[in-house]
Amino acid sequence: MNVNMSWVEIDRICQEKADAEEDFRRELERKERPLRSSAAPLSDDQLLAKLRELGLDVDRDGVERLCEGALSAEEVADPIVKKLNLTNDMKGDWIWIILCALWQRWWPDRPCLELLDDKVQAGYDKNAENNPHAAAVAWLDAWADVLRLCDATGISSITEFDDRFPMTQFLFNWSQDLAMALEDARPDNEETGQALIDFCEESLRRFPDEDQSLTETRRRALGGAHFDAGMTGKAEELFGSWLKADPGWGFGWIGWADCYLPWGGRAADFGRAEEILQRGYRVPRVRDRDIIAERLREVCENTDRPDEARQYGEQAERLRQKPLHPAAGQAPPPPGPTARRVKVGRNDPCPCGSGKKYKKCCL
């Protein structure tokens, strides 16, 4: 993946720093370094006049012709800045800033990198306010732009998208946050359940050869969303087909079993959950066997079987201390002396290694 930063990302970083640090803001003013916010108080005519001052003599029709077919203001501005020999002049930043501002005013429904980045950031602002529904709405709008940009470019992978459109937040990251926001908003808004199904299905269809962990996360969310929408048979069919193709997918067994555990207000069916978990636990070389053991421990605790719960807890601890992939067909060692086990809190890092909080991942 390329490490080049887009102009919109650089501008956003500078704006946040200027808002937080008075000295930095004054330094920008001293150097006459404009930001996108510098264009906000200016009218369309004033922005066009500023373009002419910089050597670009265009009217509205001229700007329209320059931007026709473009997918970002940056790709329009870059060759103009070079042609006008403004590459090393901070005043040249005005070319891109003005094009961004006019694009937003004149063609707000035409997707481009800069407006997409704004929508993604708006979602994070809402998420920071603990408003997952508003965050999901903003991110679904951004997702629609992603699909339109993929259609325009023929992009078929998230990695390729992040290379072509380097935003402040990579699509790889914020698309996962979108799925979590939809899951969080689902109990209060039934429409978000269908939106989650649509998002996961479209993502899996558009990006079939994506990172394995991302694909598995999408599938798990899709199966759970069908279950929560009352389509139990569909959820069973999906998990069954995925695990038939890859029985070693530990979190597939966990996600399937979670449909029958009382997480997020679901009705508990501990017997069905245990049946699924036991099937996964018995698969040779199953991935994340220790997490399956932890789930079995929780099932036993919730069904008043403390001795079995203790044994599964000990087994999980032993598995965590062993290589991830024991020899094919090797059975887990029998339970031994009780090991000290630390309970994972809802706000602690998830033990699956995703980097997300436990309550946002495997709880």
Side-chain angles (χ1 to χ4, degrees):
M1 181 177 291
N2 294 334
V3 296
N4 292 334
M5 297 175 66
S6 61
W7 294 1
V8 68
E9 182 179 1
I10 295 171
D11 180 88
R12 195 174 302 284
I13 293 171
C14 289
Q15 183 67 65
E16 291 177 356
K17 189 174 178 65
D19 291 341
E21 301 178 17
E22 180 67 17
D23 289 344
F24 183 75
R25 184 186 64 78
R26 290 178 178 175
E27 182 66 11
L28 291 180
E29 292 176 349
R30 186 184 67 80
K31 293 181 176 180
E32 297 184 338
R33 169 70 182 270
L35 298 174
R36 286 178 69 193
S37 58
S38 305
L42 302 180
S43 67
D44 294 359
D45 288 340
Q46 288 174 315
L47 292 175
L48 290 171
K50 200 162 194 63
L51 285 178
R52 288 192 286 271
E53 291 174 6
L54 293 168
L56 186 61
D57 189 9
V58 291
D59 56 11
R60 176 165 181 157
D61 290 339
V63 174
E64 171 74 44
R65 287 191 294 273
L66 286 171
C67 296
E68 185 176 1
L71 299 177
S72 72
E74 179 177 340
E75 70 181 72
V76 178
D78 188 37
I80 295 173
V81 170
K82 291 175 180 176
K83 183 177 180 180
L84 296 175
N85 294 318
L86 296 173
T87 304
N88 297 318
D89 188 339
M90 288 190 180
K91 292 181 180 179
D93 291 350
W94 272 109
I95 302 288
W96 171 73
I97 289 170
I98 292 170
L99 291 177
C100 283
L102 295 178
W103 195 311
Q104 187 169 26
R105 296 177 190 183
W106 295 348
W107 320 299
D109 296 327
R110 184 189 299 180
C112 73
L113 166 63
E114 292 83 5
L115 299 192
L116 172 58
D117 196 86
D118 290 346
K119 292 176 181 180
V120 172
Q121 188 57 47
Y124 278 106
D125 291 343
K126 293 299 182 182
N127 206 45
E129 297 170 4
N130 198 27
N131 190 340
H133 180 261
V137 169
W139 282 334
L140 285 173
D141 190 20
W143 175 247
D145 282 357
V146 168
L147 300 183
R148 293 170 68 185
L149 290 171
C150 286
D151 289 339
T153 57
I155 286 174
S156 60
S157 79
I158 289 178
T159 299
E160 187 181 358
F161 187 94
D162 282 332
D163 284 344
R164 175 65 175 81
F165 299 101
M167 296 184 291
T168 305
Q169 298 288 341
F170 288 132
L171 175 60
F172 183 91
N173 294 329
W174 75 258
S175 63
Q176 296 181 72
D177 292 331
L178 165 57
M180 284 194 294
L182 288 168
E183 289 179 325
D184 288 345
R186 186 171 50 197
D188 300 321
N189 190 309
E190 293 183 1
E191 292 181 359
T192 58
Q194 185 59 49
L196 178 58
I197 291 173
D198 294 342
F199 164 72
C200 290
E201 288 181 340
E202 184 68 17
S203 179
L204 291 168
R205 185 184 71 81
R206 291 267 183 168
F207 312 122
D209 301 319
E210 206 48 60
D211 174 86
Q212 181 181 0
S213 64
L214 185 61
T215 297
E216 291 177 349
T217 299
R218 291 278 196 277
R219 286 177 172 177
R220 189 175 166 194
L222 178 60
H226 274 102
F227 187 91
D228 288 335
M231 293 180 277
T232 305
K234 181 64 175 179
E236 290 272 330
E237 176 188 344
L238 287 172
F239 278 114
S241 64
W242 293 328
L243 288 163
K244 182 179 180 180
D246 180 15
W249 177 29
F251 270 97
W253 296 106
I254 292 167
W256 191 358
D258 280 355
C259 293
Y260 296 95
L261 293 175
W263 315 144
R266 290 170 173 165
D269 184 344
F270 290 110
R272 177 59 176 153
E274 183 172 1
E275 176 190 350
I276 294 168
L277 290 168
Q278 287 286 7
R279 285 175 61 187
Y281 193 66
R282 291 192 296 268
V283 173
R285 298 175 63 88
V286 68
R287 303 186 293 279
D288 301 298
R289 189 192 300 272
D290 60 316
I291 310 299
I292 299 178
E294 281 289 350
R295 275 293 196 277
L296 284 165
R297 177 189 62 77
E298 293 173 4
V299 169
C300 291
E301 285 182 346
N302 279 278
T303 51
D304 298 322
R305 294 142 62 195
D307 290 341
E308 291 179 68
R310 175 182 54 78
Q311 290 181 0
Y312 277 120
E314 293 170 355
Q315 186 64 67
E317 184 63 29
R318 291 177 184 277
L319 288 166
R320 279 192 287 269
Q321 297 172 4
K322 288 188 173 293
L324 292 177
H325 299 293
Q330 177 179 328
T338 301
R340 185 174 183 270
R341 177 173 47 81
V342 179
K343 187 174 180 61
V344 180
R346 283 173 54 81
N347 291 307
D348 292 336
C350 186
C352 76
S354 67
K356 300 183 183 298
K357 289 184 179 180
Y358 185 45
K359 69 180 180 181
K360 293 287 189 178
C361 191
C362 296
L363 179 59

